[in-house]
Amino acid sequence: MSPNKLTPGYNLMWESSRMILPEHREQLLEEKRKTKEFQMPILDDNQLEEINRLILQSLEQNQTITITYAELYGPAEFSGWIQKVDTHKEWLKISNEEDTLTLSFKKILQVGG
């Protein structure tokens, strides 16, 4: 028996005209990205105290600092000087020669000098 369009694994009638619309492609890629979203680790009290200490030290001594923070699809880093800390709204502003970043305390993963 020769294959036809109803034979499992064969789609001869439409084989040469397979395509995907750009809108559908973007939707498929977005669904794939969502499954790979970064899950923020839970920091213990010692890690939080160390982050707090290094941020205050950097602010008081006007030193550069590197902050690793959570982005949607993974961790990211930003280096610069801390410009402002708002403890009530729980965010800080850090800037360097190129850019400024306002960052929520909840997104901070790690701080280095």
Side-chain angles (χ1 to χ4, degrees), residues 1-111:
M1 181 172 167
S2 64
N4 63 37
K5 66 180 183 179
L6 299 176
T7 305
Y10 288 93
N11 192 0
L12 298 177
M13 184 174 180
W14 304 107
E15 193 69 34
S16 64
S17 65
R18 285 189 184 166
M19 65 177 205
I20 187 167
L21 294 172
E23 299 86 22
H24 294 159
R25 181 178 187 277
E26 278 303 313
Q27 188 177 16
L28 288 171
L29 290 174
E30 183 63 29
E31 289 298 320
K32 190 173 184 181
R33 280 187 219 117
K34 284 181 182 177
T35 61
K36 294 182 180 180
E37 285 183 10
F38 181 68
Q39 298 297 316
M40 176 86 174
I42 298 172
L43 303 177
D44 65 20
D45 289 339
N46 293 334
Q47 290 170 313
L48 294 172
E49 287 177 19
E50 181 68 10
I51 288 170
N52 186 38
R53 186 184 66 75
L54 291 170
I55 288 173
L56 288 176
Q57 178 182 344
S58 173
L59 187 61
E60 290 172 355
Q61 299 176 2
N62 199 27
Q63 295 176 333
T64 61
I65 193 168
T66 301
I67 295 179
T68 305
Y69 62 97
E71 281 285 324
L72 186 59
Y73 301 113
E77 285 188 352
F78 191 89
S79 295
W81 292 270
I82 296 180
Q83 302 300 313
K84 185 174 182 180
V85 176
D86 188 333
T87 55
H88 297 291
K89 295 182 181 176
E90 298 183 347
W91 59 264
L92 62 84
K93 185 181 285 189
I94 183 171
S95 64
N96 57 28
E97 294 85 16
E98 301 166 4
D99 203 7
T100 300
L101 175 70
T102 302
L103 187 61
S104 168
F105 291 164
K106 295 176 184 175
K107 290 188 170 190
I108 297 175
L109 300 172
Q110 187 177 3
V111 174

